[in-house]
Short mmCIF file of all heavy atoms in Angstrom, two decimals:
data_model
loop_
_atom_site.label_atom_id
_atom_site.label_comp_id
_atom_site.label_asym_id
_atom_site.label_seq_id
_atom_site.Cartn_x
_atom_site.Cartn_y
_atom_site.Cartn_z
N HIS A 165 1.22 4.48 4.66
CA HIS A 165 0.84 3.22 5.28
C HIS A 165 0.17 3.53 6.61
O HIS A 165 0.79 4.09 7.52
CB HIS A 165 2.08 2.34 5.51
CG HIS A 165 1.78 1.05 6.21
ND1 HIS A 165 2.74 0.31 6.83
CD2 HIS A 165 0.62 0.37 6.37
CE1 HIS A 165 2.20 -0.78 7.35
NE2 HIS A 165 0.90 -0.76 7.09
N ILE A 166 -1.11 3.16 6.69
CA ILE A 166 -1.85 3.27 7.96
C ILE A 166 -1.78 1.86 8.54
O ILE A 166 -2.49 0.94 8.09
CB ILE A 166 -3.33 3.69 7.70
CG1 ILE A 166 -3.42 4.90 6.73
CG2 ILE A 166 -4.04 3.98 9.03
CD1 ILE A 166 -2.74 6.15 7.19
N ALA A 167 -0.90 1.67 9.53
CA ALA A 167 -0.56 0.32 10.00
C ALA A 167 -1.70 -0.28 10.84
O ALA A 167 -2.64 0.42 11.23
CB ALA A 167 0.76 0.37 10.77
N PRO A 168 -1.60 -1.59 11.12
CA PRO A 168 -2.69 -2.28 11.82
C PRO A 168 -3.08 -1.59 13.13
O PRO A 168 -2.24 -1.15 13.90
CB PRO A 168 -2.10 -3.67 12.09
CG PRO A 168 -1.15 -3.90 10.96
CD PRO A 168 -0.53 -2.54 10.71
N GLY A 169 -4.39 -1.50 13.34
CA GLY A 169 -4.93 -1.01 14.60
C GLY A 169 -4.85 0.48 14.82
O GLY A 169 -5.14 0.96 15.91
N THR A 170 -4.49 1.24 13.80
CA THR A 170 -4.40 2.70 13.95
C THR A 170 -5.79 3.32 13.80
O THR A 170 -6.56 2.93 12.92
CB THR A 170 -3.41 3.26 12.90
OG1 THR A 170 -2.10 2.98 13.36
CG2 THR A 170 -3.57 4.74 12.69
N ALA A 171 -6.08 4.28 14.65
CA ALA A 171 -7.39 4.96 14.60
C ALA A 171 -7.18 6.44 14.30
O ALA A 171 -6.50 7.14 15.06
CB ALA A 171 -8.10 4.80 15.94
N VAL A 172 -7.73 6.88 13.18
CA VAL A 172 -7.60 8.28 12.77
C VAL A 172 -8.98 8.92 12.87
O VAL A 172 -9.93 8.47 12.22
CB VAL A 172 -7.05 8.38 11.32
CG1 VAL A 172 -6.92 9.84 10.90
CG2 VAL A 172 -5.70 7.66 11.19
N SER A 173 -9.09 9.96 13.68
CA SER A 173 -10.40 10.62 13.87
C SER A 173 -10.73 11.51 12.67
O SER A 173 -9.98 11.57 11.70
CB SER A 173 -10.38 11.45 15.15
OG SER A 173 -10.26 10.59 16.26
N GLY A 174 -11.85 12.23 12.77
CA GLY A 174 -12.39 12.95 11.62
C GLY A 174 -11.53 14.13 11.16
O GLY A 174 -10.85 14.79 11.95
N GLY A 175 -11.55 14.37 9.85
CA GLY A 175 -10.97 15.60 9.30
C GLY A 175 -9.46 15.70 9.40
O GLY A 175 -8.91 16.81 9.38
N VAL A 176 -8.78 14.58 9.49
CA VAL A 176 -7.31 14.60 9.60
C VAL A 176 -6.72 14.64 8.19
O VAL A 176 -7.20 13.97 7.28
CB VAL A 176 -6.81 13.35 10.37
CG1 VAL A 176 -5.28 13.23 10.29
CG2 VAL A 176 -7.27 13.42 11.83
N SER A 177 -5.65 15.43 8.03
CA SER A 177 -4.97 15.53 6.75
C SER A 177 -3.60 14.86 6.87
O SER A 177 -2.79 15.21 7.73
CB SER A 177 -4.83 17.01 6.40
OG SER A 177 -3.92 17.14 5.35
N ILE A 178 -3.35 13.88 6.00
CA ILE A 178 -2.11 13.09 6.07
C ILE A 178 -1.38 13.26 4.74
O ILE A 178 -1.93 12.96 3.68
CB ILE A 178 -2.46 11.60 6.33
CG1 ILE A 178 -3.21 11.46 7.67
CG2 ILE A 178 -1.20 10.74 6.32
CD1 ILE A 178 -3.76 10.07 7.94
N GLY A 179 -0.13 13.75 4.81
CA GLY A 179 0.63 14.02 3.59
C GLY A 179 1.20 12.76 2.96
O GLY A 179 1.07 11.65 3.49
N GLU A 180 1.87 12.95 1.82
CA GLU A 180 2.44 11.83 1.06
C GLU A 180 3.44 11.03 1.91
O GLU A 180 4.22 11.59 2.67
CB GLU A 180 3.18 12.37 -0.17
CG GLU A 180 3.83 11.28 -0.99
CD GLU A 180 4.44 11.81 -2.29
OE1 GLU A 180 4.44 13.04 -2.51
OE2 GLU A 180 4.92 10.97 -3.07
N GLY A 181 3.41 9.72 1.74
CA GLY A 181 4.46 8.85 2.28
C GLY A 181 4.50 8.71 3.79
O GLY A 181 5.48 8.22 4.34
N VAL A 182 3.43 9.11 4.47
CA VAL A 182 3.42 9.05 5.94
C VAL A 182 3.26 7.60 6.41
O VAL A 182 2.49 6.83 5.82
CB VAL A 182 2.29 9.93 6.51
CG1 VAL A 182 2.04 9.64 7.99
CG2 VAL A 182 2.60 11.41 6.30
N GLN A 183 3.98 7.26 7.46
CA GLN A 183 3.82 5.98 8.13
C GLN A 183 3.19 6.24 9.48
O GLN A 183 3.78 6.94 10.31
CB GLN A 183 5.19 5.32 8.31
CG GLN A 183 5.20 4.09 9.20
CD GLN A 183 4.92 2.80 8.45
OE1 GLN A 183 4.95 2.77 7.22
NE2 GLN A 183 4.64 1.73 9.17
N LEU A 184 1.97 5.72 9.68
CA LEU A 184 1.37 5.75 11.02
C LEU A 184 1.54 4.35 11.56
O LEU A 184 0.86 3.41 11.12
CB LEU A 184 -0.11 6.14 10.93
CG LEU A 184 -0.42 7.59 10.59
CD1 LEU A 184 -1.93 7.82 10.51
CD2 LEU A 184 0.18 8.52 11.65
N GLY A 185 2.46 4.17 12.51
CA GLY A 185 2.83 2.83 12.99
C GLY A 185 1.68 2.13 13.69
O GLY A 185 0.63 2.73 13.97
N THR A 186 1.92 0.88 13.99
CA THR A 186 0.89 0.02 14.58
C THR A 186 0.26 0.67 15.82
O THR A 186 0.97 1.12 16.72
CB THR A 186 1.51 -1.34 14.98
OG1 THR A 186 2.10 -1.91 13.82
CG2 THR A 186 0.47 -2.27 15.56
N GLY A 187 -1.05 0.74 15.81
CA GLY A 187 -1.79 1.18 16.99
C GLY A 187 -1.68 2.66 17.32
O GLY A 187 -1.91 3.05 18.46
#
Side-chain angles (χ1 to χ4, degrees):
H165 177 198
I166 313 299
T170 284
V172 180
S173 294
V176 170
S177 167
I178 300 173
E180 179 174 5
V182 167
Q183 170 88 13
L184 288 179
T186 303

